Amino acid sequence: MKLQLIRNATLKFDYAGHTILIDPFLGPKDSLPSFAGHSPNPTVGLPIAIDEILAGVELVIISHLHEDHFDDTAKHRVPKGLPIFCQPGDEEAIRAAGFRDVTPLSGEARWQGLKLTRRDGSHGLGPVVQDMGPVIGFSLEAKGEPSVYWAGDTVYYPAIERTIRETKPGIVVTHSCGAKWNGDLIVMDATQTIAVCDAAKGSVVVATHMEALDHATVSRQQLRAAADAHGIPLTKLAIPADGEVLTLIPPVV
């Protein structure tokens, strides 16, 4: 399988003969207001043209409706007829934007030989979750492919460890920029990403959602330094640059 990090959480998967786009955030640099008072967002532009991002896409997955995961540009540029899976409760808002084939992922779903399974996530812990709202992750499986666990906008908490332990994914995708909201951690930081690596012994971990938003607190370089200090090699923890394409093969354990 191949994974291309576009920017932030936006990924393009080539998986089991299909091309999947996850959490399309397609607006230009500085098209959203600041989240932390430092600068407008996103803090970087797209690494490739939108037409290239959308080329070949057959399925879209939208984990939640925060603007850095599904923005106005995506609402206008993503073809309206593409099938979309989303978290329950978001389907009407997506349909209201003109999309015609929207399915809430409440448990398991099958599409063109792929199996998608909803996974729990927590966009922070404690009262901040009320501000952030619900989110989901998902597992992706297909014959002949490594299983993928896309954790989404979540901190590391018992549900994440349980999913890794019970499903033993080949690939784990984390959001690892250590973003904070009013001082509260709302996605994984370096310490929590390392905890994922320790829990997912048989997996390649791919850290994304980095260096694109002004409320992030962890850079790619800082995460790599923390991983090196913990003895985690490049083959175990990938930290792709925007636009980078990874060909992923889980390690033999």
Side-chain angles (χ1 to χ4, degrees):
M1 63 163 287
K2 290 185 178 180
L3 175 157
Q4 183 177 27
L5 173 62
I6 304 300
R7 179 185 61 190
N8 202 48
T10 305
L11 299 180
K12 192 173 182 179
F13 271 111
D14 288 334
Y15 189 81
H18 297 289
T19 301
I20 306 165
L21 184 64
I22 299 171
D23 280 3
F25 175 34
L26 305 179
K29 183 178 183 290
D30 298 340
S31 56
L32 295 178
S34 171
F35 298 150
H38 302 311
S39 70
N41 289 298
T43 58
V44 294
L46 289 170
I48 58 178
I50 293 176
D51 285 346
E52 185 177 349
I53 294 168
L54 296 176
V57 170
E58 301 165 81
L59 177 69
V60 180
I61 302 172
I62 298 171
S63 65
H64 62 303
L65 298 181
H66 286 175
E67 287 185 297
D68 64 310
H69 294 258
F70 186 50
D71 64 350
D72 285 344
T73 303
K75 291 173 187 176
H76 287 94
R77 292 297 303 273
V78 174
K80 302 299 185 185
L82 283 176
I84 293 176
F85 284 101
C86 66
Q87 72 170 341
D90 289 350
E91 61 269 25
E92 290 307 320
I94 297 171
R95 289 175 186 144
F99 295 93
R100 301 186 292 273
D101 185 358
V102 184
T103 303
L105 184 61
S106 56
E108 293 182 359
R110 294 185 183 271
W111 180 87
Q112 300 289 318
L114 308 184
K115 179 183 175 183
L116 292 95
T117 306
R118 178 194 177 277
R119 300 299 179 189
D120 290 336
S122 187
H123 209 342
L125 295 173
V128 72
V129 174
Q130 297 299 314
D131 293 333
M132 294 296 101
V135 295
I136 62 167
F138 62 86
S139 295
L140 181 63
E141 300 169 83
K143 185 177 180 180
E145 293 281 7
S147 61
V148 176
Y149 170 38
W150 186 90
D153 259 12
T154 185
V155 294
Y156 187 70
Y157 74 121
I160 307 301
E161 185 279 329
R162 184 171 61 250
T163 295
I164 293 170
R165 173 168 36 86
E166 292 178 354
T167 67
K168 297 179 173 58
I171 311 297
V172 180
V173 180
T174 62
H175 293 175
S176 298
C177 71
K180 292 187 176 182
W181 190 262
N182 293 330
D184 292 311
L185 190 69
I186 56 173
V187 300
M188 296 183 202
D189 58 10
T191 298
Q192 293 190 355
T193 303
I194 288 168
V196 170
C197 293
D198 288 341
K201 297 296 186 185
S203 309
V204 173
V205 178
V206 182
T208 67
H209 203 306
M210 304 193 77
E211 297 184 8
L213 302 173
D214 80 323
H215 62 337
T217 65
V218 179
S219 69
R220 290 180 173 99
Q221 183 177 7
Q222 289 168 332
L223 177 58
R224 183 72 260 161
D228 289 345
H230 197 72
I232 298 172
L234 294 170
T235 53
K236 171 67 178 181
L237 175 62
I239 311 172
D242 291 351
E244 185 174 353
V245 178
L246 304 177
T247 300
L248 296 171
I249 301 172
V252 176
V253 178

